[in-house]
Amino acid sequence: MATGPEQLPGTGTIPLFARVHLAHAAVQRIAERAQVPLLHLKGPALLPGLRPPGRLSSDADVLVHPESHTRFEDALRGHGWQPHTQLATGSAFEHAVNWWHPHWGYVDVHARWPGPTAGAAETFAAFAEDGFEQAIAHVPCRVPGRTAQILVLLLHGARSQADRDLELPWHRQSEEQRAAVVALADRLGARVALAAALGELDA
């Protein structure tokens, strides 16, 4: 969850639910103009049934192709976004920068997703290969396919006790779907991180 300015001009009049959706849409348009490959993660980017009804995100999450990361940051600055953290301070994994906009709030721009030992470009390609466009605030946004969405959620839960909810993304999935998630984790060198998410490190 992002921390920082509680109320800057513009954000107080936009409900959190709407602001997060609009943040996804805004950064998608910026990415299109800058020709930056972008994947939208978690929150409103998820397929139905992968998160509890009524659960709200506090910010938008996007994964940027590593070759385009600098270009995307330059484009964000050009549209009024300001970095609130740096890669070295954003998290213990140095994987994301938190950006702030006075109207749209926060967006976490991920250079990579923690968990896989595969390279950032390989991980991005794997998350994108079965992806599709999902409308967020009426803007088509590219999101990972179902298997990658589940792995993203589980790997996020591995580093956040508050988000370690296995019921929907794991226990309610079919054996075939769980096997596909494990296969993707193996392919990306994320089996240890997945075990941590599932509470199976002892194995």
Side-chain angles (χ1 to χ4, degrees), residues 54-81:
R55 182 170 181 175
L56 300 179
S57 299
S58 61
D59 54 18
D61 285 272
V62 295
L63 180 67
V64 181
H65 192 283
E67 293 180 1
S68 303
H69 191 261
T70 299
R71 186 163 76 251
F72 186 57
E73 288 191 326
D74 290 342
L76 287 175
R77 286 190 180 91
H79 287 82
W81 294 81

mmCIF file with all atom_site columns, all heavy atoms in Angstrom, residues 54-81:
data_model
loop_
_atom_site.group_PDB
_atom_site.id
_atom_site.type_symbol
_atom_site.label_atom_id
_atom_site.label_alt_id
_atom_site.label_comp_id
_atom_site.label_asym_id
_atom_site.label_entity_id
_atom_site.label_seq_id
_atom_site.pdbx_PDB_ins_code
_atom_site.Cartn_x
_atom_site.Cartn_y
_atom_site.Cartn_z
_atom_site.occupancy
_atom_site.B_iso_or_equiv
_atom_site.pdbx_formal_charge
_atom_site.auth_seq_id
_atom_site.auth_comp_id
_atom_site.auth_asym_id
_atom_site.auth_atom_id
_atom_site.pdbx_PDB_model_num
ATOM 1   N N   . GLY A 1 54 ? -15.715 -6.675 -3.335  1.00 0.00 ? 54 GLY A N   1
ATOM 2   C CA  . GLY A 1 54 ? -15.668 -5.497 -2.487  1.00 0.00 ? 54 GLY A CA  1
ATOM 3   C C   . GLY A 1 54 ? -14.284 -5.077 -2.046  1.00 0.00 ? 54 GLY A C   1
ATOM 4   O O   . GLY A 1 54 ? -14.122 -4.011 -1.463  1.00 0.00 ? 54 GLY A O   1
ATOM 5   N N   . ARG A 1 55 ? -13.288 -5.900 -2.346  1.00 0.00 ? 55 ARG A N   1
ATOM 6   C CA  . ARG A 1 55 ? -11.928 -5.518 -1.958  1.00 0.00 ? 55 ARG A CA  1
ATOM 7   C C   . ARG A 1 55 ? -11.406 -4.450 -2.907  1.00 0.00 ? 55 ARG A C   1
ATOM 8   O O   . ARG A 1 55 ? -11.442 -4.626 -4.130  1.00 0.00 ? 55 ARG A O   1
ATOM 9   C CB  . ARG A 1 55 ? -11.009 -6.730 -1.978  1.00 0.00 ? 55 ARG A CB  1
ATOM 10  C CG  . ARG A 1 55 ? -9.588  -6.393 -1.523  1.00 0.00 ? 55 ARG A CG  1
ATOM 11  C CD  . ARG A 1 55 ? -8.776  -7.647 -1.314  1.00 0.00 ? 55 ARG A CD  1
ATOM 12  N NE  . ARG A 1 55 ? -7.441  -7.343 -0.868  1.00 0.00 ? 55 ARG A NE  1
ATOM 13  C CZ  . ARG A 1 55 ? -6.546  -8.243 -0.525  1.00 0.00 ? 55 ARG A CZ  1
ATOM 14  N NH1 . ARG A 1 55 ? -6.859  -9.537 -0.583  1.00 0.00 ? 55 ARG A NH1 1
ATOM 15  N NH2 . ARG A 1 55 ? -5.355  -7.895 -0.117  1.00 0.00 ? 55 ARG A NH2 1
ATOM 16  N N   . LEU A 1 56 ? -10.897 -3.343 -2.360  1.00 0.00 ? 56 LEU A N   1
ATOM 17  C CA  . LEU A 1 56 ? -10.452 -2.220 -3.167  1.00 0.00 ? 56 LEU A CA  1
ATOM 18  C C   . LEU A 1 56 ? -8.939  -2.097 -3.124  1.00 0.00 ? 56 LEU A C   1
ATOM 19  O O   . LEU A 1 56 ? -8.313  -2.356 -2.102  1.00 0.00 ? 56 LEU A O   1
ATOM 20  C CB  . LEU A 1 56 ? -11.076 -0.918 -2.659  1.00 0.00 ? 56 LEU A CB  1
ATOM 21  C CG  . LEU A 1 56 ? -12.602 -0.846 -2.677  1.00 0.00 ? 56 LEU A CG  1
ATOM 22  C CD1 . LEU A 1 56 ? -13.064 0.493  -2.116  1.00 0.00 ? 56 LEU A CD1 1
ATOM 23  C CD2 . LEU A 1 56 ? -13.143 -1.046 -4.085  1.00 0.00 ? 56 LEU A CD2 1
ATOM 24  N N   . SER A 1 57 ? -8.371  -1.695 -4.244  1.00 0.00 ? 57 SER A N   1
ATOM 25  C CA  . SER A 1 57 ? -6.944  -1.387 -4.303  1.00 0.00 ? 57 SER A CA  1
ATOM 26  C C   . SER A 1 57 ? -6.736  0.073  -3.936  1.00 0.00 ? 57 SER A C   1
ATOM 27  O O   . SER A 1 57 ? -7.598  0.919  -4.169  1.00 0.00 ? 57 SER A O   1
ATOM 28  C CB  . SER A 1 57 ? -6.405  -1.650 -5.712  1.00 0.00 ? 57 SER A CB  1
ATOM 29  O OG  . SER A 1 57 ? -6.555  -3.006 -6.069  1.00 0.00 ? 57 SER A OG  1
ATOM 30  N N   . SER A 1 58 ? -5.567  0.375  -3.379  1.00 0.00 ? 58 SER A N   1
ATOM 31  C CA  . SER A 1 58 ? -5.258  1.759  -3.025  1.00 0.00 ? 58 SER A CA  1
ATOM 32  C C   . SER A 1 58 ? -4.435  2.454  -4.098  1.00 0.00 ? 58 SER A C   1
ATOM 33  O O   . SER A 1 58 ? -4.264  3.674  -4.066  1.00 0.00 ? 58 SER A O   1
ATOM 34  C CB  . SER A 1 58 ? -4.491  1.800  -1.697  1.00 0.00 ? 58 SER A CB  1
ATOM 35  O OG  . SER A 1 58 ? -3.271  1.094  -1.809  1.00 0.00 ? 58 SER A OG  1
ATOM 36  N N   . ASP A 1 59 ? -3.904  1.684  -5.049  1.00 0.00 ? 59 ASP A N   1
ATOM 37  C CA  . ASP A 1 59 ? -3.132  2.272  -6.141  1.00 0.00 ? 59 ASP A CA  1
ATOM 38  C C   . ASP A 1 59 ? -3.189  1.336  -7.345  1.00 0.00 ? 59 ASP A C   1
ATOM 39  O O   . ASP A 1 59 ? -3.720  0.229  -7.259  1.00 0.00 ? 59 ASP A O   1
ATOM 40  C CB  . ASP A 1 59 ? -1.673  2.542  -5.726  1.00 0.00 ? 59 ASP A CB  1
ATOM 41  C CG  . ASP A 1 59 ? -0.981  1.297  -5.171  1.00 0.00 ? 59 ASP A CG  1
ATOM 42  O OD1 . ASP A 1 59 ? -1.479  0.177  -5.423  1.00 0.00 ? 59 ASP A OD1 1
ATOM 43  O OD2 . ASP A 1 59 ? 0.051   1.431  -4.497  1.00 0.00 ? 59 ASP A OD2 1
ATOM 44  N N   . ALA A 1 60 ? -2.661  1.801  -8.463  1.00 0.00 ? 60 ALA A N   1
ATOM 45  C CA  . ALA A 1 60 ? -2.590  0.983  -9.671  1.00 0.00 ? 60 ALA A CA  1
ATOM 46  C C   . ALA A 1 60 ? -1.214  0.334  -9.740  1.00 0.00 ? 60 ALA A C   1
ATOM 47  O O   . ALA A 1 60 ? -0.220  0.918  -9.299  1.00 0.00 ? 60 ALA A O   1
ATOM 48  C CB  . ALA A 1 60 ? -2.832  1.850  -10.910 1.00 0.00 ? 60 ALA A CB  1
ATOM 49  N N   . ASP A 1 61 ? -1.158  -0.876 -10.288 1.00 0.00 ? 61 ASP A N   1
ATOM 50  C CA  . ASP A 1 61 ? 0.104   -1.594 -10.470 1.00 0.00 ? 61 ASP A CA  1
ATOM 51  C C   . ASP A 1 61 ? 0.290   -1.915 -11.941 1.00 0.00 ? 61 ASP A C   1
ATOM 52  O O   . ASP A 1 61 ? -0.618  -2.483 -12.579 1.00 0.00 ? 61 ASP A O   1
ATOM 53  C CB  . ASP A 1 61 ? 0.104   -2.904 -9.669  1.00 0.00 ? 61 ASP A CB  1
ATOM 54  C CG  . ASP A 1 61 ? 0.282   -2.682 -8.183  1.00 0.00 ? 61 ASP A CG  1
ATOM 55  O OD1 . ASP A 1 61 ? 1.436   -2.628 -7.728  1.00 0.00 ? 61 ASP A OD1 1
ATOM 56  O OD2 . ASP A 1 61 ? -0.736  -2.564 -7.481  1.00 0.00 ? 61 ASP A OD2 1
ATOM 57  N N   . VAL A 1 62 ? 1.467   -1.581 -12.470 1.00 0.00 ? 62 VAL A N   1
ATOM 58  C CA  . VAL A 1 62 ? 1.781   -1.914 -13.858 1.00 0.00 ? 62 VAL A CA  1
ATOM 59  C C   . VAL A 1 62 ? 3.193   -2.480 -13.926 1.00 0.00 ? 62 VAL A C   1
ATOM 60  O O   . VAL A 1 62 ? 4.062   -2.125 -13.123 1.00 0.00 ? 62 VAL A O   1
ATOM 61  C CB  . VAL A 1 62 ? 1.657   -0.699 -14.807 1.00 0.00 ? 62 VAL A CB  1
ATOM 62  C CG1 . VAL A 1 62 ? 0.204   -0.215 -14.876 1.00 0.00 ? 62 VAL A CG1 1
ATOM 63  C CG2 . VAL A 1 62 ? 2.571   0.439  -14.380 1.00 0.00 ? 62 VAL A CG2 1
ATOM 64  N N   . LEU A 1 63 ? 3.404   -3.364 -14.885 1.00 0.00 ? 63 LEU A N   1
ATOM 65  C CA  . LEU A 1 63 ? 4.719   -3.937 -15.158 1.00 0.00 ? 63 LEU A CA  1
ATOM 66  C C   . LEU A 1 63 ? 5.165   -3.441 -16.522 1.00 0.00 ? 63 LEU A C   1
ATOM 67  O O   . LEU A 1 63 ? 4.438   -3.601 -17.513 1.00 0.00 ? 63 LEU A O   1
ATOM 68  C CB  . LEU A 1 63 ? 4.652   -5.465 -15.135 1.00 0.00 ? 63 LEU A CB  1
ATOM 69  C CG  . LEU A 1 63 ? 5.953   -6.223 -15.416 1.00 0.00 ? 63 LEU A CG  1
ATOM 70  C CD1 . LEU A 1 63 ? 6.970   -6.000 -14.294 1.00 0.00 ? 63 LEU A CD1 1
ATOM 71  C CD2 . LEU A 1 63 ? 5.671   -7.727 -15.583 1.00 0.00 ? 63 LEU A CD2 1
ATOM 72  N N   . VAL A 1 64 ? 6.360   -2.864 -16.575 1.00 0.00 ? 64 VAL A N   1
ATOM 73  C CA  . VAL A 1 64 ? 6.878   -2.262 -17.806 1.00 0.00 ? 64 VAL A CA  1
ATOM 74  C C   . VAL A 1 64 ? 7.979   -3.155 -18.370 1.00 0.00 ? 64 VAL A C   1
ATOM 75  O O   . VAL A 1 64 ? 8.794   -3.711 -17.615 1.00 0.00 ? 64 VAL A O   1
ATOM 76  C CB  . VAL A 1 64 ? 7.436   -0.855 -17.532 1.00 0.00 ? 64 VAL A CB  1
ATOM 77  C CG1 . VAL A 1 64 ? 7.950   -0.211 -18.810 1.00 0.00 ? 64 VAL A CG1 1
ATOM 78  C CG2 . VAL A 1 64 ? 6.361   0.020  -16.911 1.00 0.00 ? 64 VAL A CG2 1
ATOM 79  N N   . HIS A 1 65 ? 8.012   -3.294 -19.680 1.00 0.00 ? 65 HIS A N   1
ATOM 80  C CA  . HIS A 1 65 ? 9.117   -4.030 -20.293 1.00 0.00 ? 65 HIS A CA  1
ATOM 81  C C   . HIS A 1 65 ? 10.420  -3.333 -19.925 1.00 0.00 ? 65 HIS A C   1
ATOM 82  O O   . HIS A 1 65 ? 10.525  -2.102 -20.011 1.00 0.00 ? 65 HIS A O   1
ATOM 83  C CB  . HIS A 1 65 ? 8.955   -4.090 -21.805 1.00 0.00 ? 65 HIS A CB  1
ATOM 84  C CG  . HIS A 1 65 ? 9.878   -5.058 -22.460 1.00 0.00 ? 65 HIS A CG  1
ATOM 85  N ND1 . HIS A 1 65 ? 11.214  -4.787 -22.674 1.00 0.00 ? 65 HIS A ND1 1
ATOM 86  C CD2 . HIS A 1 65 ? 9.673   -6.329 -22.920 1.00 0.00 ? 65 HIS A CD2 1
ATOM 87  C CE1 . HIS A 1 65 ? 11.790  -5.829 -23.249 1.00 0.00 ? 65 HIS A CE1 1
ATOM 88  N NE2 . HIS A 1 65 ? 10.877  -6.779 -23.403 1.00 0.00 ? 65 HIS A NE2 1
ATOM 89  N N   . PRO A 1 66 ? 11.434  -4.094 -19.486 1.00 0.00 ? 66 PRO A N   1
ATOM 90  C CA  . PRO A 1 66 ? 12.662  -3.453 -18.974 1.00 0.00 ? 66 PRO A CA  1
ATOM 91  C C   . PRO A 1 66 ? 13.362  -2.544 -19.975 1.00 0.00 ? 66 PRO A C   1
ATOM 92  O O   . PRO A 1 66 ? 13.991  -1.554 -19.574 1.00 0.00 ? 66 PRO A O   1
ATOM 93  C CB  . PRO A 1 66 ? 13.546  -4.646 -18.589 1.00 0.00 ? 66 PRO A CB  1
ATOM 94  C CG  . PRO A 1 66 ? 12.970  -5.820 -19.311 1.00 0.00 ? 66 PRO A CG  1
ATOM 95  C CD  . PRO A 1 66 ? 11.500  -5.562 -19.400 1.00 0.00 ? 66 PRO A CD  1
ATOM 96  N N   . GLU A 1 67 ? 13.246  -2.834 -21.256 1.00 0.00 ? 67 GLU A N   1
ATOM 97  C CA  . GLU A 1 67 ? 13.910  -1.982 -22.246 1.00 0.00 ? 67 GLU A CA  1
ATOM 98  C C   . GLU A 1 67 ? 13.219  -0.631 -22.395 1.00 0.00 ? 67 GLU A C   1
ATOM 99  O O   . GLU A 1 67 ? 13.786  0.290  -22.986 1.00 0.00 ? 67 GLU A O   1
ATOM 100 C CB  . GLU A 1 67 ? 13.955  -2.695 -23.596 1.00 0.00 ? 67 GLU A CB  1
ATOM 101 C CG  . GLU A 1 67 ? 14.846  -3.943 -23.598 1.00 0.00 ? 67 GLU A CG  1
ATOM 102 C CD  . GLU A 1 67 ? 14.870  -4.633 -24.945 1.00 0.00 ? 67 GLU A CD  1
ATOM 103 O OE1 . GLU A 1 67 ? 14.202  -4.133 -25.883 1.00 0.00 ? 67 GLU A OE1 1
ATOM 104 O OE2 . GLU A 1 67 ? 15.542  -5.672 -25.067 1.00 0.00 ? 67 GLU A OE2 1
ATOM 105 N N   . SER A 1 68 ? 11.998  -0.521 -21.875 1.00 0.00 ? 68 SER A N   1
ATOM 106 C CA  . SER A 1 68 ? 11.222  0.712  -22.030 1.00 0.00 ? 68 SER A CA  1
ATOM 107 C C   . SER A 1 68 ? 11.019  1.453  -20.718 1.00 0.00 ? 68 SER A C   1
ATOM 108 O O   . SER A 1 68 ? 10.305  2.462  -20.685 1.00 0.00 ? 68 SER A O   1
ATOM 109 C CB  . SER A 1 68 ? 9.853   0.388  -22.644 1.00 0.00 ? 68 SER A CB  1
ATOM 110 O OG  . SER A 1 68 ? 9.986   -0.283 -23.870 1.00 0.00 ? 68 SER A OG  1
ATOM 111 N N   . HIS A 1 69 ? 11.649  0.984  -19.654 1.00 0.00 ? 69 HIS A N   1
ATOM 112 C CA  . HIS A 1 69 ? 11.378  1.544  -18.330 1.00 0.00 ? 69 HIS A CA  1
ATOM 113 C C   . HIS A 1 69 ? 11.733  3.028  -18.262 1.00 0.00 ? 69 HIS A C   1
ATOM 114 O O   . HIS A 1 69 ? 10.940  3.849  -17.787 1.00 0.00 ? 69 HIS A O   1
ATOM 115 C CB  . HIS A 1 69 ? 12.143  0.756  -17.264 1.00 0.00 ? 69 HIS A CB  1
ATOM 116 C CG  . HIS A 1 69 ? 11.726  1.077  -15.872 1.00 0.00 ? 69 HIS A CG  1
ATOM 117 N ND1 . HIS A 1 69 ? 12.422  1.946  -15.059 1.00 0.00 ? 69 HIS A ND1 1
ATOM 118 C CD2 . HIS A 1 69 ? 10.661  0.672  -15.138 1.00 0.00 ? 69 HIS A CD2 1
ATOM 119 C CE1 . HIS A 1 69 ? 11.811  2.042  -13.898 1.00 0.00 ? 69 HIS A CE1 1
ATOM 120 N NE2 . HIS A 1 69 ? 10.756  1.285  -13.915 1.00 0.00 ? 69 HIS A NE2 1
ATOM 121 N N   . THR A 1 70 ? 12.910  3.393  -18.733 1.00 0.00 ? 70 THR A N   1
ATOM 122 C CA  . THR A 1 70 ? 13.332  4.796  -18.674 1.00 0.00 ? 70 THR A CA  1
ATOM 123 C C   . THR A 1 70 ? 12.430  5.681  -19.526 1.00 0.00 ? 70 THR A C   1
ATOM 124 O O   . THR A 1 70 ? 12.041  6.781  -19.111 1.00 0.00 ? 70 THR A O   1
ATOM 125 C CB  . THR A 1 70 ? 14.793  4.933  -19.136 1.00 0.00 ? 70 THR A CB  1
ATOM 126 O OG1 . THR A 1 70 ? 15.641  4.174  -18.260 1.00 0.00 ? 70 THR A OG1 1
ATOM 127 C CG2 . THR A 1 70 ? 15.238  6.395  -19.095 1.00 0.00 ? 70 THR A CG2 1
ATOM 128 N N   . ARG A 1 71 ? 12.073  5.196  -20.710 1.00 0.00 ? 71 ARG A N   1
ATOM 129 C CA  . ARG A 1 71 ? 11.206  5.983  -21.584 1.00 0.00 ? 71 ARG A CA  1
ATOM 130 C C   . ARG A 1 71 ? 9.837   6.199  -20.948 1.00 0.00 ? 71 ARG A C   1
ATOM 131 O O   . ARG A 1 71 ? 9.248   7.281  -21.060 1.00 0.00 ? 71 ARG A O   1
ATOM 132 C CB  . ARG A 1 71 ? 11.052  5.282  -22.938 1.00 0.00 ? 71 ARG A CB  1
ATOM 133 C CG  . ARG A 1 71 ? 10.270  6.108  -23.958 1.00 0.00 ? 71 ARG A CG  1
ATOM 134 C CD  . ARG A 1 71 ? 10.468  5.614  -25.378 1.00 0.00 ? 71 ARG A CD  1
ATOM 135 N NE  . ARG A 1 71 ? 9.724   4.396  -25.670 1.00 0.00 ? 71 ARG A NE  1
ATOM 136 C CZ  . ARG A 1 71 ? 10.274  3.200  -25.839 1.00 0.00 ? 71 ARG A CZ  1
ATOM 137 N NH1 . ARG A 1 71 ? 11.583  3.049  -25.713 1.00 0.00 ? 71 ARG A NH1 1
ATOM 138 N NH2 . ARG A 1 71 ? 9.528   2.152  -26.128 1.00 0.00 ? 71 ARG A NH2 1
ATOM 139 N N   . PHE A 1 72 ? 9.347   5.182  -20.271 1.00 0.00 ? 72 PHE A N   1
ATOM 140 C CA  . PHE A 1 72 ? 8.045   5.327  -19.625 1.00 0.00 ? 72 PHE A CA  1
ATOM 141 C C   . PHE A 1 72 ? 8.108   6.323  -18.472 1.00 0.00 ? 72 PHE A C   1
ATOM 142 O O   . PHE A 1 72 ? 7.199   7.140  -18.301 1.00 0.00 ? 72 PHE A O   1
ATOM 143 C CB  . PHE A 1 72 ? 7.567   3.963  -19.113 1.00 0.00 ? 72 PHE A CB  1
ATOM 144 C CG  . PHE A 1 72 ? 6.174   3.985  -18.554 1.00 0.00 ? 72 PHE A CG  1
ATOM 145 C CD1 . PHE A 1 72 ? 5.104   4.411  -19.325 1.00 0.00 ? 72 PHE A CD1 1
ATOM 146 C CD2 . PHE A 1 72 ? 5.924   3.577  -17.256 1.00 0.00 ? 72 PHE A CD2 1
ATOM 147 C CE1 . PHE A 1 72 ? 3.810   4.431  -18.817 1.00 0.00 ? 72 PHE A CE1 1
ATOM 148 C CE2 . PHE A 1 72 ? 4.638   3.586  -16.735 1.00 0.00 ? 72 PHE A CE2 1
ATOM 149 C CZ  . PHE A 1 72 ? 3.579   4.017  -17.522 1.00 0.00 ? 72 PHE A CZ  1
ATOM 150 N N   . GLU A 1 73 ? 9.173   6.288  -17.681 1.00 0.00 ? 73 GLU A N   1
ATOM 151 C CA  . GLU A 1 73 ? 9.313   7.254  -16.591 1.00 0.00 ? 73 GLU A CA  1
ATOM 152 C C   . GLU A 1 73 ? 9.382   8.679  -17.131 1.00 0.00 ? 73 GLU A C   1
ATOM 153 O O   . GLU A 1 73 ? 8.792   9.597  -16.559 1.00 0.00 ? 73 GLU A O   1
ATOM 154 C CB  . GLU A 1 73 ? 10.547  6.932  -15.759 1.00 0.00 ? 73 GLU A CB  1
ATOM 155 C CG  . GLU A 1 73 ? 10.387  5.687  -14.897 1.00 0.00 ? 73 GLU A CG  1
ATOM 156 C CD  . GLU A 1 73 ? 11.503  5.540  -13.889 1.00 0.00 ? 73 GLU A CD  1
ATOM 157 O OE1 . GLU A 1 73 ? 12.655  5.930  -14.213 1.00 0.00 ? 73 GLU A OE1 1
ATOM 158 O OE2 . GLU A 1 73 ? 11.230  5.046  -12.776 1.00 0.00 ? 73 GLU A OE2 1
ATOM 159 N N   . ASP A 1 74 ? 10.106  8.872  -18.228 1.00 0.00 ? 74 ASP A N   1
ATOM 160 C CA  . ASP A 1 74 ? 10.164  10.206 -18.843 1.00 0.00 ? 74 ASP A CA  1
ATOM 161 C C   . ASP A 1 74 ? 8.772   10.656 -19.288 1.00 0.00 ? 74 ASP A C   1
ATOM 162 O O   . ASP A 1 74 ? 8.398   11.833 -19.128 1.00 0.00 ? 74 ASP A O   1
ATOM 163 C CB  . ASP A 1 74 ? 11.118  10.200 -20.044 1.00 0.00 ? 74 ASP A CB  1
ATOM 164 C CG  . ASP A 1 74 ? 12.580  10.051 -19.637 1.00 0.00 ? 74 ASP A CG  1
ATOM 165 O OD1 . ASP A 1 74 ? 12.899  10.291 -18.453 1.00 0.00 ? 74 ASP A OD1 1
ATOM 166 O OD2 . ASP A 1 74 ? 13.396  9.688  -20.505 1.00 0.00 ? 74 ASP A OD2 1
ATOM 167 N N   . ALA A 1 75 ? 8.002   9.724  -19.834 1.00 0.00 ? 75 ALA A N   1
ATOM 168 C CA  . ALA A 1 75 ? 6.649   10.059 -20.280 1.00 0.00 ? 75 ALA A CA  1
ATOM 169 C C   . ALA A 1 75 ? 5.752   10.403 -19.100 1.00 0.00 ? 75 ALA A C   1
ATOM 170 O O   . ALA A 1 75 ? 4.935   11.342 -19.177 1.00 0.00 ? 75 ALA A O   1
ATOM 171 C CB  . ALA A 1 75 ? 6.063   8.895  -21.078 1.00 0.00 ? 75 ALA A CB  1
ATOM 172 N N   . LEU A 1 76 ? 5.896   9.680  -17.997 1.00 0.00 ? 76 LEU A N   1
ATOM 173 C CA  . LEU A 1 76 ? 5.110   9.999  -16.804 1.00 0.00 ? 76 LEU A CA  1
ATOM 174 C C   . LEU A 1 76 ? 5.409   11.413 -16.319 1.00 0.00 ? 76 LEU A C   1
ATOM 175 O O   . LEU A 1 76 ? 4.494   12.182 -16.000 1.00 0.00 ? 76 LEU A O   1
ATOM 176 C CB  . LEU A 1 76 ? 5.400   8.991  -15.691 1.00 0.00 ? 76 LEU A CB  1
ATOM 177 C CG  . LEU A 1 76 ? 4.821   7.576  -15.852 1.00 0.00 ? 76 LEU A CG  1
ATOM 178 C CD1 . LEU A 1 76 ? 5.318   6.685  -14.725 1.00 0.00 ? 76 LEU A CD1 1
ATOM 179 C CD2 . LEU A 1 76 ? 3.293   7.602  -15.858 1.00 0.00 ? 76 LEU A CD2 1
ATOM 180 N N   . ARG A 1 77 ? 6.682   11.743 -16.234 1.00 0.00 ? 77 ARG A N   1
ATOM 181 C CA  . ARG A 1 77 ? 7.058   13.098 -15.793 1.00 0.00 ? 77 ARG A CA  1
ATOM 182 C C   . ARG A 1 77 ? 6.434   14.159 -16.701 1.00 0.00 ? 77 ARG A C   1
ATOM 183 O O   . ARG A 1 77 ? 5.994   15.212 -16.240 1.00 0.00 ? 77 ARG A O   1
ATOM 184 C CB  . ARG A 1 77 ? 8.575   13.245 -15.791 1.00 0.00 ? 77 ARG A CB  1
ATOM 185 C CG  . ARG A 1 77 ? 9.277   12.529 -14.654 1.00 0.00 ? 77 ARG A CG  1
ATOM 186 C CD  . ARG A 1 77 ? 10.755  12.925 -14.590 1.00 0.00 ? 77 ARG A CD  1
ATOM 187 N NE  . ARG A 1 77 ? 11.432  12.248 -13.503 1.00 0.00 ? 77 ARG A NE  1
ATOM 188 C CZ  . ARG A 1 77 ? 12.044  11.075 -13.615 1.00 0.00 ? 77 ARG A CZ  1
ATOM 189 N NH1 . ARG A 1 77 ? 12.064  10.456 -14.800 1.00 0.00 ? 77 ARG A NH1 1
ATOM 190 N NH2 . ARG A 1 77 ? 12.631  10.516 -12.579 1.00 0.00 ? 77 ARG A NH2 1
ATOM 191 N N   . GLY A 1 78 ? 6.412   13.865 -17.991 1.00 0.00 ? 78 GLY A N   1
ATOM 192 C CA  . GLY A 1 78 ? 5.859   14.818 -18.940 1.00 0.00 ? 78 GLY A CA  1
ATOM 193 C C   . GLY A 1 78 ? 4.361   15.016 -18.817 1.00 0.00 ? 78 GLY A C   1
ATOM 194 O O   . GLY A 1 78 ? 3.810   15.966 -19.364 1.00 0.00 ? 78 GLY A O   1
ATOM 195 N N   . HIS A 1 79 ? 3.695   14.124 -18.069 1.00 0.00 ? 79 HIS A N   1
ATOM 196 C CA  . HIS A 1 79 ? 2.244   14.229 -17.875 1.00 0.00 ? 79 HIS A CA  1
ATOM 197 C C   . HIS A 1 79 ? 1.886   14.516 -16.417 1.00 0.00 ? 79 HIS A C   1
ATOM 198 O O   . HIS A 1 79 ? 0.763   14.230 -15.984 1.00 0.00 ? 79 HIS A O   1
ATOM 199 C CB  . HIS A 1 79 ? 1.544   12.956 -18.348 1.00 0.00 ? 79 HIS A CB  1
ATOM 200 C CG  . HIS A 1 79 ? 1.497   12.832 -19.843 1.00 0.00 ? 79 HIS A CG  1
ATOM 201 N ND1 . HIS A 1 79 ? 2.565   12.359 -20.588 1.00 0.00 ? 79 HIS A ND1 1
ATOM 202 C CD2 . HIS A 1 79 ? 0.511   13.122 -20.747 1.00 0.00 ? 79 HIS A CD2 1
ATOM 203 C CE1 . HIS A 1 79 ? 2.234   12.367 -21.864 1.00 0.00 ? 79 HIS A CE1 1
ATOM 204 N NE2 . HIS A 1 79 ? 1.000   12.823 -21.989 1.00 0.00 ? 79 HIS A NE2 1
ATOM 205 N N   . GLY A 1 80 ? 2.825   15.086 -15.677 1.00 0.00 ? 80 GLY A N   1
ATOM 206 C CA  . GLY A 1 80 ? 2.501   15.567 -14.336 1.00 0.00 ? 80 GLY A CA  1
ATOM 207 C C   . GLY A 1 80 ? 2.675   14.579 -13.206 1.00 0.00 ? 80 GLY A C   1
ATOM 208 O O   . GLY A 1 80 ? 2.306   14.872 -12.068 1.00 0.00 ? 80 GLY A O   1
ATOM 209 N N   . TRP A 1 81 ? 3.200   13.379 -13.487 1.00 0.00 ? 81 TRP A N   1
ATOM 210 C CA  . TRP A 1 81 ? 3.451   12.405 -12.427 1.00 0.00 ? 81 TRP A CA  1
ATOM 211 C C   . TRP A 1 81 ? 4.793   12.697 -11.762 1.00 0.00 ? 81 TRP A C   1
ATOM 212 O O   . TRP A 1 81 ? 5.739   13.134 -12.420 1.00 0.00 ? 81 TRP A O   1
ATOM 213 C CB  . TRP A 1 81 ? 3.446   10.986 -12.992 1.00 0.00 ? 81 TRP A CB  1
ATOM 214 C CG  . TRP A 1 81 ? 2.114   10.535 -13.502 1.00 0.00 ? 81 TRP A CG  1
ATOM 215 C CD1 . TRP A 1 81 ? 1.557   10.831 -14.705 1.00 0.00 ? 81 TRP A CD1 1
ATOM 216 C CD2 . TRP A 1 81 ? 1.173   9.706  -12.813 1.00 0.00 ? 81 TRP A CD2 1
ATOM 217 N NE1 . TRP A 1 81 ? 0.318   10.242 -14.823 1.00 0.00 ? 81 TRP A NE1 1
ATOM 218 C CE2 . TRP A 1 81 ? 0.058   9.539  -13.679 1.00 0.00 ? 81 TRP A CE2 1
ATOM 219 C CE3 . TRP A 1 81 ? 1.154   9.081  -11.562 1.00 0.00 ? 81 TRP A CE3 1
ATOM 220 C CZ2 . TRP A 1 81 ? -1.052  8.778  -13.312 1.00 0.00 ? 81 TRP A CZ2 1
ATOM 221 C CZ3 . TRP A 1 81 ? 0.057   8.317  -11.208 1.00 0.00 ? 81 TRP A CZ3 1
ATOM 222 C CH2 . TRP A 1 81 ? -1.032  8.174  -12.080 1.00 0.00 ? 81 TRP A CH2 1
#
